[in-house]
Amino acid sequence: MNAMTPAPTSQPDLLDFSFVLFGGTGDLAMRKILPALYAAHRDGMLAPGGKILAVAITALDCNGYLAWVEEHVKPRVPESTIDDAAWLGFLGRISYVRLDAAQPDSFASLAEALRNAPGRRIFYMATGPALFVPICSALGAAGLTEGASVVLEKPLGHDLESSTAINDAVGRIFSEDQIYRIDHYLGKEAVQNLFALRFGNSLFEPLWRREWVESIQITVAEELGVEGRGNFYDQTGALRDMVQNHLLQLMSIVAMEPPQSMDADAVRDEKLRVLRALKPLRGDEIRQNVVRGQYQTGSINGAGVPAYRSEAGVGMDSRTETFVALKAEVENWRWAGVPFFLRTGKRLAARVAEIVVNFRTVPHSTLGPTALRPGSNRLMIRLQPTESIRLTALAKQPGLGMTLQDVYLDLAFDQFFQHERMEAYQRLLLDVIAGRLALFVRRDEQEAAWKWVAPIIDHWAAPESAPKLYASGTWGPAASSALLARHNTCWLEEEN
């Protein structure tokens, strides 16, 4: 058993549900969704009558699927959280239906399995986006959508046109308040704490504006490469895979105005205003403010790794980007003139996701040049690998003279809160079951993000456009550092 206790909750009475998991034998179901549902079950956050129905084309019966879960899910659950009685109880919730999602006639077996199923139906699309519309259409034809919810995983389309087509088709079957477009970064504890930090403390709100903020950095870096997903990734790239959704969502939360309430549409209205206020990038502005990179051979943790173009499923002449760094601006009264530097990439020097708010230095120092050093006052919100918040300030060193040095005020969640942290997928799945939409992306948000990145996509489609190469195990192309240097700043790790 885990030594930490589950997080206390104040949720209302638990609701029965029928959770239908399309792609039930796939990687996402095994790695994220079923482990998250087990954690919720173990912590007593699922109604006793709630059921999980896995759906896939794999030739299995129910017992065969439970054996599949034992083999592929249980090893991905932290050993310290495995409780034999809880695990058996969790398996007791699960059943399996084999069907071909591309064949509408096969949905009769699903309708039969759901005939007496409890509670509200939740259809989770843990499949490729090409199956979203056929599945939703078949669910509608089978009469299974009334009062149900559908969860759509990213990527939702390849560009604005394809995203609109999917949304239009799904929207003919499900209303907007039935559709949950999931972005798992919005379920992370540190992202939730952004709301608490900004809107629950009078300390920060007066400083959260152009008069006091010099710049903001948002980084999501991975040590991993494409990990056997070359066929998918080579058609997607870092701009579509990470910037259009995760990074722009994080940026919109950082930059949004205080919502009238924490109701779903109040929060999403304010995020939308940020996305619509993004300064458009065109032509020369893209060349000056967007860096596109692709990893070469190098070393990660002492082990050699191949170049991107040597990965399985990747073309030898691929121009797909595995790294993006860019400067964005929000054209409103709060943020005008403040650069937002966004960065993401694969095969980088470390796995880290963080938001860094750099406050302006004092206008005049009577305590020497240290007080004028950029970064002497900053707020760092770490999302991974561990979640924490750190506020940097200057203090006097003990002893004679007035020598200043950085000191830190730290909130490490795993140390301060002596109970187990809820993983992002667990929180988001519980919100779906409870019918809470605030942490899910609304259609107009998604389309505003696609509209902003569309000129970059088009610019990179030109034959003469090519990514800048960088060695695996580094922080990306040198042009990424030059981008910030032109604004008299640098990435956080470059300060030392």
Side-chain angles (χ1 to χ4, degrees):
M1 293 289 289
N2 196 329
M4 303 179 95
T5 58
T9 63
S10 57
Q11 60 188 34
D13 293 340
L14 301 175
L15 303 174
D16 280 341
F17 62 90
S18 295
F19 189 96
V20 182
L21 178 57
F22 287 93
T25 57
D27 182 64
L28 180 63
M30 300 297 106
R31 286 189 303 109
K32 296 294 186 181
I33 300 170
L34 288 175
L37 288 170
Y38 165 71
H41 167 85
R42 183 203 66 216
D43 295 343
M45 294 180 175
L46 299 181
K51 300 297 182 183
I52 301 167
L53 178 60
V55 177
I57 198 171
T58 309
L60 296 169
D61 59 14
C62 189
N63 287 334
Y65 183 72
L66 293 180
W68 182 286
V69 171
E70 283 276 357
E71 179 182 353
H72 294 93
V73 177
K74 199 170 185 179
R76 291 184 164 102
V77 175
E79 187 175 353
S80 60
T81 70
I82 291 289
D83 175 278
D84 289 341
W87 180 254
L88 289 174
F90 176 64
L91 294 181
R93 292 180 182 271
I94 299 175
S95 56
Y96 180 77
V97 170
R98 183 191 180 194
L99 63 76
D100 183 348
Q103 299 296 322
D105 291 345
S106 67
F107 278 70
S109 59
L110 177 61
E112 180 62 29
L114 290 172
R115 184 182 300 276
N116 297 312
R120 187 165 57 92
R121 294 167 183 166
I122 297 162
F123 299 107
Y124 198 110
M125 305 295 159
T127 68
L131 289 175
F132 290 174
V133 173
I135 291 174
C136 290
S137 298
L139 291 173
L144 297 174
T145 61
E146 185 177 355
S149 298
V150 61
V151 185
L152 304 179
E153 273 280 352
K154 76 172 185 72
L156 198 68
H158 193 70
D159 53 19
L160 177 60
E161 183 179 4
S162 58
S163 175
T164 300
I166 292 173
N167 277 318
D168 285 346
V170 174
R172 286 191 286 269
I173 299 144
F174 294 92
S175 62
E176 182 63 27
D177 63 1
Q178 292 178 285
I179 301 172
Y180 293 70
R181 298 174 189 84
I182 195 166
D183 183 331
H184 72 274
Y185 272 77
L186 301 186
K188 289 182 176 291
E189 194 70 51
V191 175
Q192 296 301 293
N193 260 296
L194 266 174
F195 291 108
L197 194 74
R198 286 199 56 196
F199 308 134
N201 297 283
S202 61
L203 172 65
F204 291 107
E205 179 56 28
L207 306 178
W208 213 263
R209 56 198 342 104
R210 62 184 303 275
E211 291 85 354
W212 304 108
V213 175
E214 183 75 34
S215 66
I216 294 175
Q217 299 178 17
I218 302 176
T219 294
V220 179
E222 299 178 88
E223 291 180 326
L224 297 175
V226 295
E227 303 304 300
R229 298 188 308 147
N231 287 317
F232 160 77
Y233 197 87
D234 209 38
Q235 302 301 314
T236 305
L239 185 69
R240 294 179 175 93
D241 190 42
M242 296 296 294
V243 177
Q244 182 272 332
N245 41 70
H246 297 327
L247 269 71
L248 288 184
Q249 280 291 315
L250 292 176
M251 179 180 174
S252 67
I253 293 174
V254 171
M256 66 188 280
E257 295 295 323
Q260 184 179 15
S261 70
M262 292 305 291
D263 290 342
D265 281 334
V267 172
R268 297 189 293 182
D269 284 346
E270 298 303 336
K271 288 196 294 170
L272 177 63
R273 289 189 178 96
V274 174
L275 294 170
R276 287 179 172 171
L278 285 171
K279 180 181 178 181
L281 295 176
R282 300 283 189 273
D284 287 341
E285 290 178 320
I286 294 174
R287 283 186 284 272
Q288 293 169 5
N289 295 311
V290 185
V291 177
R292 175 190 186 196
Q294 186 185 92
Y295 66 78
Q296 292 291 89
T297 57
S299 176
I300 302 287
N301 296 323
V305 294
Y308 174 72
R309 293 177 185 177
S310 299
E311 301 275 14
V314 175
M316 290 298 294
D317 58 351
S318 173
R319 297 188 300 156
T320 299
E321 76 285 354
T322 62
F323 176 96
V324 176
L326 61 84
K327 187 196 81 167
E329 294 183 58
V330 180
E331 296 187 310
N332 62 21
W333 276 45
R334 182 184 288 266
W335 294 113
V338 176
F340 287 74
F341 298 107
L342 313 185
R343 174 178 61 164
T344 186
K346 291 187 175 295
R347 293 292 190 210
L348 297 183
R351 175 179 176 262
V352 63
E354 63 189 5
I355 299 165
V356 180
V357 181
N358 290 308
F359 293 100
R360 296 187 186 277
T361 59
V362 295
H364 172 71
S365 174
T366 60
L367 303 175
T370 303
L372 297 174
R373 188 187 68 226
S376 55
N377 292 156
R378 67 159 50 108
L379 184 69
M380 293 176 284
I381 300 113
R382 178 66 61 91
L383 310 181
Q384 65 184 31
T386 57
E387 296 177 335
S388 64
I389 294 175
R390 169 178 284 189
L391 180 64
T392 306
L394 288 173
K396 176 188 174 298
Q397 287 184 8
L400 297 174
M402 183 58 71
T403 303
L404 304 181
Q405 72 173 53
D406 292 332
V407 294
Y408 307 106
L409 303 175
D410 273 331
L411 172 57
F413 298 126
D414 57 348
Q415 297 176 22
F416 189 86
F417 298 108
Q418 293 299 308
H419 49 67
E420 182 185 346
R421 291 172 298 150
M422 189 181 295
E423 294 295 330
Y425 266 95
Q426 182 181 347
R427 172 181 287 105
L428 294 173
L429 293 178
L430 289 171
D431 275 3
V432 174
I433 292 168
R436 295 187 287 262
L437 279 159
L439 299 183
F440 297 85
V441 180
R442 203 168 59 191
R443 175 175 179 167
D444 49 8
E445 287 182 80
Q446 185 183 68
E447 292 182 346
W450 273 121
K451 286 177 182 176
W452 190 74
V453 302
I456 305 174
I457 294 172
D458 293 342
H459 183 82
W460 287 352
E464 66 274 12
S465 174
K468 299 180 185 301
L469 303 180
Y470 64 95
S472 294
T474 67
W475 283 104
S480 171
S481 299
L483 171 65
L484 271 68
R486 288 197 295 272
H487 296 275
N488 298 314
T489 188
C490 64
W491 295 107
L492 182 62
E493 77 279 350
E494 294 175 335
E495 290 187 354
N496 298 321

